Amino acid sequence: AQSVTQLDSQVPVFEEAPVELRCNYSSSVSVYLFWYVQYPNQGLQLLLKYLSGSTLVKGINGFEAEFNKSQTSFHLRKPSVHISDTAEYFCAVSPYSSASKIIFGSGTRLSIRP
Amino acid sequence: GAGVSQSPRYKVAKRGQDVALRCDPISGHVSLFWYQQALGQGPEFLTYFQNEAQLDKSGLPSDRFFAERPEGSVSTLKIQRTQQEDSAVYLCASSALAVSSYEQYFGPGTRLTVT
């Protein structure tokens, strides 16, 4: 079985400050890793994904995440946030297999203060 | 091109009523998923189709929940005798191939409120 833990339910940050959203996972099998973003009143959108290779993954809107196998973590970072980054962010895993389900964390609400 | 669409966007049902939620995936997508997202939580897997075959329904919370995709495109999630705990946003997602590394594209969801 797999599980995803997002340690912070809310993260308030000032505009143009850096941010890190933490994610840890547990799995008995190899998994793919994802970050999804959910803007207010919109559907989930893929930010980035780790499948294999380089552990530093770059995504859309200036976000990046680093896969750390030994710590089973996949933290999301952005060096300078904007008001438009206000959203809910979900870390997720999917086991290696044919079209398996995604297991999501409970989400982190990022609020940007001007 | 059109993304995943869901209808209705909002549904209010009285406890005990049956409801049907529709999902139109991206044209040609093989895989289709249903998720349930309770308030303040992440989405939770309900069921998965590969074309018309329902390959995984392990997440359906009770036998009141039923999903179908008879022609391998549009899917319907039906909830019988709705209960208050069924109140949630129901998300549909589709994927081009039956491989978990491929991106799932999500619809906007149907918000179900059971009164």
Side-chain angles (χ1 to χ4, degrees), chain B residues 40-101:
Chain B
Q41 299 297 315
E44 291 194 2
F45 171 81
L46 292 177
T47 187
Y48 155 62
F49 290 86
Q50 183 175 322
N51 296 309
E52 69 277 5
Q54 188 175 19
L55 299 186
D56 187 346
K57 54 181 181 180
S58 61
L60 295 176
S62 77
D63 58 7
R64 297 186 295 104
F65 286 71
F66 172 75
E68 59 183 6
R69 194 186 185 198
E71 297 179 356
S73 55
V74 171
S75 177
T76 304
L77 177 67
K78 297 179 179 178
I79 309 173
Q80 298 177 326
R81 305 181 303 282
T82 53
Q83 303 295 316
Q84 283 196 320
E85 60 263 28
D86 300 335
S87 295
V89 176
Y90 291 85
L91 300 171
C92 175
S94 70
S95 180
L97 291 178
V99 178
S100 55
S101 58

Side-chain angles (χ1 to χ4, degrees), chain A residues 18-92:
Chain A
V19 69
E20 178 180 82
L21 305 184
R22 296 179 293 170
C23 172
N24 289 87
Y25 70 94
S26 173
S27 178
S28 56
V29 300
S30 296
V31 295
Y32 300 119
L33 296 147
F34 307 85
W35 275 98
Y36 280 82
V37 59
Q38 190 172 34
Y39 297 106
N41 300 316
Q42 294 187 29
L44 285 162
Q45 179 181 0
L46 182 66
L47 261 183
L48 49 79
K49 62 182 177 182
Y50 174 78
L51 304 181
S52 65
S54 172
T55 57
L56 183 63
V57 181
K58 294 189 183 298
I60 61 172
N61 301 338
F63 283 92
E64 63 181 30
E66 186 156 19
F67 170 55
N68 187 318
K69 188 173 183 179
S70 62
Q71 297 185 9
T72 60
S73 68
F74 192 53
H75 300 332
L76 181 70
R77 302 185 184 100
K78 186 170 182 178
S80 176
V81 295
H82 301 109
I83 291 286
S84 59
D85 293 323
T86 298
E88 188 93 20
Y89 291 81
F90 294 95
C91 181

